[in-house]
Amino acid sequence: ERIKAMREMIVADNTEDRKKALAKIMPYQQGDFEGLYEAMEGCPVVIRFLDPPLHEFLPTKEEDIKEIAGEIGVTVERLHEVIASLHEFNPMMGHRGCRLAVTFPEIAVMQTRAVIRAAINVQKRHPDWNMVPEIMIPLVGEVKELKYVKSVVVKTADEELAAAGMKMKYLVGTMIEIPRAALTADDIAKEAEFFSFGTNDLTQMTFGFSRDDAGKFLGAYYDKKIYENDPFAKLDQVGVGKLVEMAAKLGRATRPDLHLGICGEHGGDPSSVEFCHRVGLDYVSCSPFRVPIARLAAAQAAIKEQRQ
């Protein structure tokens, strides 16, 4: 049901139809967010807004295209047209992240409503919890992008809180995963209340190669000792790390209380965790099975710092 509503949203060729499909998606999103808040028992939760390119939600096989066209009530030809129009030569650097919200602000409106309504409901059920929703805008490279999407988020959130007769603090931050965002982090921090470094994408964009395709040639680089490690497993502290450190300093120069973290597989690598601690990041976020390693690495980094 979820993917069906999402596909209806994607094939919509006008704002009204898109809003109708988004209205079907919203209860699912709100339910998920309430579940997250309940599971976290009042601890902070960051929710990243829609990030993948839209083509990832559409079918590729002809039999699936026929079946889905019937399900969502469009012709096979129309669905083919939509799939063709969404084709991108480099989707990683294409129409995704905050670019979706700039093009279709109604997506950000729906997700903001879902986040705030979920937080309101959970706050009412647990008066002793202090709910502070944290909304992350992904793939920002220009402060004006963030400012635009943030204005949509703030307007929607304030309307929802006013309608519920509640006061609730919420934060709007961004994911730093484009080198330009790191280089202009002092400007970005004027709008962002927290940064999370998306080091998977930041690594891809800094090195100029795709994680999905690099396996074809990285073996030769290891053999010839050009690279000592897989840059997607162990953070490249010389290049990517320099951008992270620079962005942390620039961001905090603008906003001294800026909360900084790292999100991605690097967050579970001990040497990368030590580096993040050294440059002043507050937390690492990694896949669940790597949490014990990340905790141990963070503790060791703190002990090492104290000894020095």
Side-chain angles (χ1 to χ4, degrees):
E1 286 305 305
R2 292 169 180 238
I3 194 75
K4 182 182 172 186
M6 191 69 185
R7 285 164 173 163
E8 285 177 16
M9 190 272 289
I10 293 167
V11 301
D13 55 8
N14 61 73
T15 305
E16 284 312 305
D17 286 347
R18 201 172 298 112
K19 284 181 177 176
K20 285 176 189 172
L22 286 165
K24 295 179 185 178
I25 298 168
M26 202 189 85
Y28 297 122
Q29 289 263 276
Q30 185 179 331
D32 285 344
F33 299 153
E34 286 190 32
L36 279 170
Y37 289 140
E38 289 281 359
M40 292 295 282
E41 298 179 346
C43 290
V45 179
V46 177
I47 292 171
R48 176 173 65 173
F49 273 10
L50 186 65
D51 189 35
L54 296 180
H55 76 88
E56 289 191 9
F57 298 94
L58 294 175
T60 53
K61 294 178 181 173
E62 189 60 35
E63 59 266 30
D64 293 337
I65 291 170
K66 286 178 181 172
E67 182 185 341
I68 285 157
E71 273 184 13
I72 61 177
V74 298
T75 64
V76 173
E77 291 74 22
R78 169 66 185 146
L79 193 49
H80 270 296
E81 282 173 15
V82 173
I83 293 167
S85 72
L86 292 175
H87 172 75
E88 294 180 319
F89 289 103
N90 193 340
M92 182 198 81
M93 298 172 73
H95 195 186
R96 53 170 283 231
C98 67
R99 298 160 194 170
L100 289 170
V102 170
T103 316
F104 308 120
E106 52 272 23
I107 296 176
V109 169
M110 180 276 290
Q111 291 202 286
T112 304
R113 280 198 182 123
V115 167
I116 299 299
R117 288 182 187 181
I120 289 169
N121 287 349
V122 173
Q123 183 69 77
K124 285 177 179 175
R125 289 199 289 269
H126 302 277
D128 54 322
W129 293 359
N130 180 31
M131 300 297 299
V132 182
E134 299 184 38
I135 291 169
M136 184 195 289
I137 312 298
L139 212 75
V140 165
E142 158 63 57
V143 67
K144 285 181 274 189
E145 277 176 313
L146 176 58
K147 191 173 184 178
Y148 173 77
V149 180
K150 183 183 175 183
S151 70
V152 174
V153 170
V154 168
K155 181 176 183 290
T156 307
D158 289 351
E159 285 172 357
E160 289 297 323
L161 290 167
M166 281 186 75
K167 287 186 177 179
M168 180 182 285
K169 184 183 176 185
Y170 61 89
L171 304 175
V172 182
T174 191
M175 187 165 253
I176 304 286
E177 48 199 325
I178 291 178
R180 191 181 189 279
L183 295 167
T184 61
D186 47 347
D187 278 339
I188 301 283
K190 290 173 186 173
E191 296 295 334
E193 293 168 289
F194 63 88
F195 287 172
S196 184
F197 291 92
T199 51
N200 293 344
D201 269 348
L202 189 58
T203 296
Q204 294 192 88
M205 298 212 189
T206 304
F207 275 91
F209 51 60
S210 164
R211 182 172 50 169
D212 299 323
D213 300 321
K216 296 170 186 172
F217 58 82
L218 280 180
Y221 276 63
Y222 304 142
D223 292 343
K224 294 175 174 64
K225 299 289 185 278
I226 295 171
Y227 293 154
E228 299 295 325
N229 303 289
D230 177 355
F232 296 109
K234 195 179 288 285
L235 185 71
D236 161 46
Q237 296 180 18
V238 176
V240 179
K242 188 179 283 187
L243 286 171
V244 171
E245 186 173 10
M246 182 192 300
K249 285 178 181 171
L250 287 172
R252 284 203 170 129
T254 296
R255 192 184 290 264
D257 61 346
L258 189 69
H259 200 51
L260 302 173
I262 177 179
C263 178
E265 284 310 296
H266 295 117
D269 171 65
S271 67
S272 305
V273 172
E274 185 188 341
F275 170 81
C276 292
H277 178 80
R278 200 167 66 242
V279 301
L281 271 59
D282 302 302
Y283 71 90
V284 297
S285 168
C286 58
S287 51
F289 71 93
R290 301 186 81 177
V291 167
I293 299 167
R295 278 184 165 162
L296 182 61
Q300 289 172 334
I303 291 166
K304 189 174 179 181
E305 184 182 54
Q306 284 169 0
R307 282 179 178 166
Q308 288 169 348

